[in-house]
Amino acid sequence: MKILYAIQGTGNGHLSRAMDVIPCLQQLGEVDILISGIQCDLVLPFDVKYKMKGLSFIFGKSGGVNLWNTLFKANLRRLVKGINNLPVEEYDLVINDFEPVSAWACYMKNKPCVSLSHQSAVLSPNAPKAEHRDMLGNLILHNYAPASSRYGFHFKAYDDNTFTPVIRSQVRNQVVSDRGHYTVYLPAYDDVRLIKQLSAFKDVKWDVFSKHNKKTLTVKNIKIQPIDNEKFTLSMAQSSGILTGAGFETPAEALFMGKKLLVIPMKNQYEQHLNAAALQEMGVPVMKSLKDKYEPVIRDWLDNGQIIPVNYPDITQKVVNFIVNNQTGTSPTQWTIDNQFDQTK
């Protein structure tokens, strides 16, 4: 079987998940990899056949996606050319993790496209909804990467096509401890804002990973360093808690490691507000922004924050087998019967 696996390259979450999904797909066929987008810091340990600019969301420095910069850097002519030239018809199966070039190439050529992404899960009618309705954000979620069938990962298995998170092997194999520091990953805030807000908590050691800094420096009780996958994973494993955006992979990994968690959803990023709603329903505290008026929320979390228990078993190969079986018409496996019994609802 010849499989095209297409991955969104904005941020690090999609690539983190791909590190475990790709070997599972390789058990079932010949896999070509496509990555489109920028603003990622991880490098896949696999050959990538197609590297494209795609259509990326650009992080700002004050808590959200920079929509103007996103539009400014969008090259629609190049995007259309990539869609037209991608030979999706040569593949038996196209699996897509919120990646627009392959999704639209399949749409234009009437080729089935299987979505396997967190975004598919948040679109489920059973998934928690945000307090406010973002019409533009909802439009993007539904149309950014169209698919003929959808499967997804979420913090809980909300329906039969939603599965608990893929926790990469690097995280599963970490020795978890508590060395007293707090790990911070808030890529939509610049270092100046982070230093200003976090330095108010003089009794706390902050370990900040920054998209806006190329070298390591220490300011008062705050260590700021460039994003490094190995160091970040180790920092999380040895932390007392994790302060991060309301993405998917990092909060899921924090919960898996048994760390108390505080999230701040990005502005202009509707998916993160949907994630925040799901996390809040589970008992995770959510802050609207990193402003002075929310300092009491951080202090309460530092002093009284609770660990939220979860059960995230290693079911990635089973999920991949289930999806490929469904899409290629091969005999269903036992996974179709017992899938929800292996997950925490």
Side-chain angles (χ1 to χ4, degrees):
M1 186 187 304
K2 194 172 181 182
I3 302 169
L4 177 64
Y5 182 44
I7 312 158
Q8 168 64 249
T10 299
N12 299 318
H14 304 271
L15 294 179
S16 293
R17 180 164 56 245
M19 289 184 183
D20 276 45
V21 172
I22 289 169
C24 294
L25 288 170
Q26 289 174 334
Q27 294 294 317
L28 304 176
E30 176 187 342
V31 181
D32 286 344
I33 300 169
L34 181 154
I35 300 175
S36 79
I38 56 177
Q39 296 241 303
C40 60
D41 304 287
L42 298 181
V43 177
L44 286 180
F46 306 98
D47 291 332
V48 177
K49 183 164 185 177
Y50 306 100
K51 294 182 180 179
M52 301 179 172
K53 294 291 185 181
L55 185 60
S56 288
F57 300 103
I58 308 300
F59 297 140
K61 295 184 177 183
S62 58
V65 172
N66 188 325
L67 293 178
W68 288 112
N69 208 11
T70 295
L71 292 172
F72 179 74
K73 292 192 175 183
N75 187 324
L76 296 182
R77 179 177 295 180
R78 180 179 59 205
L79 177 65
V80 171
K81 182 178 179 181
I83 291 170
N84 289 335
N85 291 341
L86 186 64
V88 291
E89 65 278 3
E90 295 179 4
Y91 293 91
D92 300 305
L93 187 62
V94 177
I95 298 181
N96 180 291
D97 188 344
F98 205 56
E99 192 290 307
V101 178
S102 62
W104 281 101
C106 287
Y107 180 84
M108 298 300 292
K109 297 177 182 181
N110 199 28
K111 170 80 175 178
C113 178
V114 181
S115 174
L116 178 59
S117 67
H118 172 59
Q119 287 75 16
S120 288
V122 300
L123 290 173
S124 167
N126 298 326
K129 305 305 176 190
E131 292 180 356
H132 69 287
R133 182 170 175 82
D134 181 340
M135 293 183 64
L136 177 59
N138 194 53
L139 185 69
I140 291 171
L141 277 177
H142 278 88
N143 297 286
Y144 181 82
S148 53
S149 55
R150 295 186 180 275
Y151 305 85
F153 300 100
H154 213 322
F155 298 115
K156 291 185 178 182
Y158 293 104
D159 56 41
D160 289 343
N161 280 359
T162 300
F163 311 99
T164 50
V166 174
I167 303 297
R168 53 198 166 104
S169 301
Q170 184 184 14
V171 172
R172 288 189 181 276
N173 296 332
Q174 283 291 325
V175 176
V176 177
S177 61
D178 185 347
R179 297 198 175 184
H181 67 266
Y182 285 80
T183 302
V184 180
Y185 178 55
L186 292 167
Y189 288 97
D190 63 17
D191 298 343
V192 174
R193 177 69 63 88
L194 289 171
I195 291 169
K196 177 181 180 296
Q197 298 304 133
L198 298 179
S199 61
F201 305 93
K202 296 179 173 56
D203 57 328
V204 178
K205 182 180 178 182
W206 300 103
D207 197 13
V208 177
F209 288 82
S210 169
K211 289 189 74 73
H212 310 287
N213 199 356
K214 302 286 185 188
K215 60 182 181 179
T216 300
L217 70 152
T218 301
V219 181
K220 301 177 182 178
N221 56 323
I222 305 166
K223 180 181 178 182
I224 298 179
Q225 56 189 304
I227 294 170
D228 178 283
N229 179 47
E230 300 285 339
K231 292 179 180 179
F232 178 65
T233 304
L234 183 61
S235 177
M236 286 201 302
Q238 297 178 343
S239 71
S240 297
I242 298 167
L243 170 60
T244 187
F248 180 56
E249 273 69 27
T250 298
E253 290 174 357
L255 293 169
F256 174 81
M257 288 181 175
K259 302 296 181 179
K260 62 182 182 180
L261 176 65
L262 173 63
V263 300
I264 306 175
M266 284 186 192
K267 293 180 291 186
N268 303 321
Q269 228 286 23
Y270 187 48
E271 177 202 334
Q272 290 215 1
H273 290 269
L274 295 172
N275 290 342
L279 289 167
Q280 196 164 37
E281 188 178 271
M282 294 169 66
V284 174
V286 175
M287 285 199 335
K288 290 186 177 180
S289 67
L290 197 63
K291 292 183 178 179
D292 292 344
K293 64 181 180 178
Y294 294 115
E295 284 185 9
V297 178
I298 298 178
R299 173 50 66 188
D300 182 65
W301 174 68
L302 292 169
D303 295 341
N304 306 306
Q306 300 295 311
I307 294 169
I308 308 299
V310 296
N311 177 27
Y312 292 160
D314 187 1
I315 57 173
T316 309
Q317 186 69 63
K318 287 184 176 182
V319 171
V320 169
N321 290 351
F322 171 62
I323 291 168
V324 173
N325 286 339
N326 276 359
Q327 297 303 313
T328 59
T330 53
S331 299
T333 64
Q334 181 65 22
W335 170 243
T336 60
I337 299 173
D338 66 11
N339 67 65
Q340 296 304 321
F341 294 95
D342 287 341
Q343 304 188 75
T344 302
K345 289 192 177 182

